[in-house]
Amino acid sequence: YIKDISYGASVDNCYTDSGIPFLRIKDLKPNEIYSQEIVFLPIELEKDVLTSRVSIDDVLITRSGTIGVCSVVDEAHDGFAFGSFMIKFSLVNIVPQYVSYIINSFIGKVYFERNKIGAIQGNITIPVIKSLQIPIPEIEKQIKIVESIDCIRQQAKKYSQEAQEAVDLANAQVEKILLGGNS
């Protein structure tokens, strides 16, 4: 099911205000790319990152440090370069989001923890990713699974946001009481 697989670019941390958008390990969250703090590489490094660019539906996975965190590249991150602490792979005949959900599940975490190399800073390798075995139902079933999980994640985000708003309101009321003496 893996069409292409490769390590990211090994470049110095010479970030600029503009240039080549560059994904680092901290930008990858389970099933999501967090791009609030994206950095840029100088245009002069284009040759160095030429083979380390992502496209929509590519799968990125952290390979060093916090291993096995996985996300699918969305439209907002199409064309970004990615660093050497990640591995990118492209899939055929399988839904990339389905694979990402499995990799980020408890089963995926246990698999990568058992198959990492190195004691102090664990790493996973391309052969480890290639040997991961997952259940592969028909494409229609994969899509339904992804839709169900997406729905649950959206509800969880909504509830989390509502809870944060309630905490913020309570904090504001407490501050008002403490500063203003009103109850």
Side-chain angles (χ1 to χ4, degrees):
Y1 296 93
I2 294 177
K3 182 171 74 173
D4 288 326
I5 189 164
S6 62
Y7 294 105
S10 183
V11 293
D12 291 334
N13 296 343
C14 52
Y15 305 134
T16 59
D17 293 334
S18 63
I20 304 164
F22 187 67
L23 294 170
R24 298 168 294 167
I25 200 167
K26 71 182 238 170
D27 301 320
L28 214 59
K29 308 292 182 212
N31 307 303
E32 184 176 4
I33 298 173
Y34 180 79
S35 58
Q36 302 302 328
E37 299 175 22
I38 292 296
V39 296
F40 296 89
L41 296 174
I43 294 294
E44 296 79 36
L45 293 178
E46 181 62 44
K47 284 188 274 181
D48 297 323
V49 299
L50 198 57
T51 60
S52 299
R53 295 285 195 137
V54 295
S55 299
I56 296 171
D57 286 340
D58 281 346
V59 180
L60 280 175
I61 186 168
T62 57
R63 73 173 189 97
S64 185
T66 306
I67 59 170
V69 176
C70 181
S71 184
V72 177
V73 176
D74 57 15
E75 196 173 302
H77 300 96
D78 185 29
F80 279 48
F82 67 103
S84 62
F85 295 111
M86 289 185 264
I87 296 173
K88 169 189 81 166
F89 54 99
S90 304
L91 299 165
V92 292
N93 301 321
I94 193 166
V95 177
Q97 293 80 2
Y98 172 77
V99 172
S100 180
Y101 283 135
I102 289 177
I103 289 174
N104 287 307
S105 73
F106 176 76
I107 293 167
K109 292 192 183 320
V110 168
Y111 172 79
F112 288 116
E113 190 61 33
R114 287 183 180 167
N115 289 283
K116 70 180 180 182
I117 58 172
I120 295 173
Q121 181 170 335
N123 285 280
I124 57 173
T125 62
I126 286 175
V128 167
I129 292 170
K130 285 183 170 182
S131 66
L132 173 65
Q133 295 184 10
I134 61 173
I136 303 177
E138 294 182 15
I139 293 285
E140 294 78 21
K141 184 70 173 171
Q142 293 174 40
I143 292 169
K144 286 185 188 244
I145 290 168
V146 167
E147 288 172 347
S148 295
I149 295 172
D150 284 347
C151 184
I152 292 167
R153 290 184 72 223
Q154 287 173 357
Q155 286 177 325
K157 282 183 181 181
K158 177 184 170 204
Y159 295 146
S160 178
Q161 183 179 357
E162 289 172 358
Q164 186 60 50
E165 289 170 2
V167 167
D168 292 345
L169 179 61
N171 285 339
Q173 289 173 340
V174 167
E175 187 174 317
K176 182 178 178 184
I177 291 169
L178 293 174
L179 296 176
N182 299 334
S183 54

